[in-house]
Amino acid sequence: MSEKLRIDIMTLFPEFVDFILSESIIGRARRAGTLDIRAHNIRDYSEDKHRRVDDTPYGGGRGMLMAAPPIYRCYKAIEENIRSSSENAEENKPYVIYMSPRGRVFTNEYAKELSEKGNLVILCGHYEGVDERLIEEIVDEEVSIGDYVLTGGEVPACIVADAVGRLVDGVLTLPECHENESFEGGLLEYPQYTRPAVWMGREVPDVLLSGHHANIDKWRHEKSVEITKERRPDLLEKK
Ligand code: ADE
């Protein structure tokens, strides 16, 4: 688990990203300084008088592409800022991901890898994508949140920032939150209940009211295995 994480998000909609990542646990961690999340408007780096950042694709075809130069300038400004605020520039070179349906599929395991990076830069695509040369020049890895296509990379970027951010030390207040949740240990989470003990005629399983911790742990593990077998047998095979 890393102790601090800075995430810079390059986007056409910085207010959107900032808003989503200002609430709840991630918002609290940002205010506490545990997570440093900054949204940058790529348009601010356009040299066009209308602040344009897109253009038509060479070779024809539908839609518009995000051009390389404004994104590159935005990235260089972030890199420079990281360098100027750290002692060891090489160690602090940001890891750059580009949100794209073409990328490596995002999982909790991958979130753990990213949470160790120290400095993460996320590029959000729009329109029909970005100029391939920009990807070659600055992107370490393309990342997909699943096999479907969204209208832009902002929602995926928020998902990655949330899943990665919550793994940073001190973001969640109780360390056990990580221990029993879905995907930890390769299993889905067991069912949980709170008061009242009977609701709509449905009773909380007796074992959970027994106070017998060994039996409760055993029951929870069995339920995790049962649910994983039923819903995600692929996880059990991997395990
Ligand atoms: N942008 C559009 N669709 C996406 C997806 N599935 N994952 C990541 N970025 C995307």
Side-chain angles (χ1 to χ4, degrees), residues 98-102 125 143-153 156-157:
Y98 166 49
M99 302 314 305
S100 147
R102 215 168 69 159
V143 180
S144 164
I145 58 158
D147 290 343
Y148 39 82
V149 180
L150 300 167
T151 53

Side-chain angles (χ1 to χ4, degrees), residues 194-230:
T194 184
R195 272 181 276 269
V198 182
W199 180 73
M200 302 283 251
R202 296 167 195 269
E203 292 177 9
V204 171
D206 282 342
V207 63
L208 299 180
L209 308 174
S210 69
H212 192 301
H213 292 293
N215 283 354
I216 292 173
D217 286 349
K218 184 166 171 283
W219 180 87
R220 285 179 167 165
H221 181 71
E222 283 166 5
K223 281 288 168 191
S224 277
V225 172
E226 185 184 312
I227 290 173
T228 310
K229 206 183 262 178
E230 187 183 298

Side-chain angles (χ1 to χ4, degrees), residues 6-215:
R6 170 170 166 173
I7 306 178
D8 291 88
I9 303 176
M10 302 193 282
T11 167
L12 295 178
F13 301 99
E15 293 85 6
F16 173 86
V17 166
D18 217 30
F19 177 76
I20 301 285
L21 297 172
S22 292
E23 295 295 322
S24 186
I25 295 168
I26 299 296
R28 184 186 67 198
R30 289 175 77 183
R31 288 186 288 278
T34 318
L35 279 181
D36 181 358
I37 301 182
R38 309 178 191 203
H40 307 268
N41 193 342
I42 296 166
R43 254 181 233 291
D44 292 344
Y45 297 88
S46 167
E47 289 182 342
D48 176 82
K49 67 174 188 278
H50 302 294
R51 289 169 41 94
R52 267 185 63 178
V53 291
D54 60 334
D55 214 328
T56 51
Y58 279 115
R62 73 207 142 84
M64 303 291 271
L65 282 183
M66 286 171 77
I71 303 172
Y72 187 69
R73 281 191 288 269
C74 180
Y75 171 70
K76 287 312 251 186
I78 293 167
E79 206 186 47
E80 183 49 38
N81 183 271
I82 292 172
R83 186 172 299 133
S84 67
S85 50
S86 69
E87 282 139 35
N88 187 340
E90 230 358 85
E91 226 169 66
N92 288 292
K93 190 196 167 311
Y95 193 78
V96 184
I97 62 173
Y98 166 49
M99 302 314 305
S100 147
R102 215 168 69 159
R104 169 175 168 191
V105 177
F106 189 61
T107 61
N108 225 41
E109 276 307 303
Y110 188 19
K112 275 183 206 160
E113 274 178 44
L114 293 178
S115 75
E116 306 288 340
K117 297 291 184 195
N119 291 298
L120 190 61
V121 172
I122 307 180
L123 170 62
C124 305
H126 252 275
Y127 313 116
E128 295 303 322
V130 310
D131 189 312
E132 189 70 21
R133 293 166 298 178
L134 183 277
I135 298 173
E136 288 165 9
E137 185 65 29
I138 70 164
V139 171
D140 292 299
E141 203 158 23
E142 295 186 42
V143 180
S144 164
I145 58 158
D147 290 343
Y148 39 82
V149 180
L150 300 167
T151 53
E154 280 72 21
V155 171
C158 289
I159 288 170
V160 169
D162 187 293
V164 171
R166 67 190 283 287
L167 296 174
V168 171
D169 219 2
V171 171
L172 296 187
T173 45
L174 294 171
E176 61 266 34
C177 288
H178 290 300
E179 277 166 24
N180 295 324
E181 67 193 14
S182 287
F183 305 113
E184 276 303 315
L187 295 174
L188 298 179
E189 199 183 14
Y190 48 77
Q192 302 254 49
Y193 304 86
T194 184
R195 272 181 276 269
V198 182
W199 180 73
M200 302 283 251
R202 296 167 195 269
E203 292 177 9
V204 171
D206 282 342
V207 63
L208 299 180
L209 308 174
S210 69
H212 192 301
H213 292 293
N215 283 354

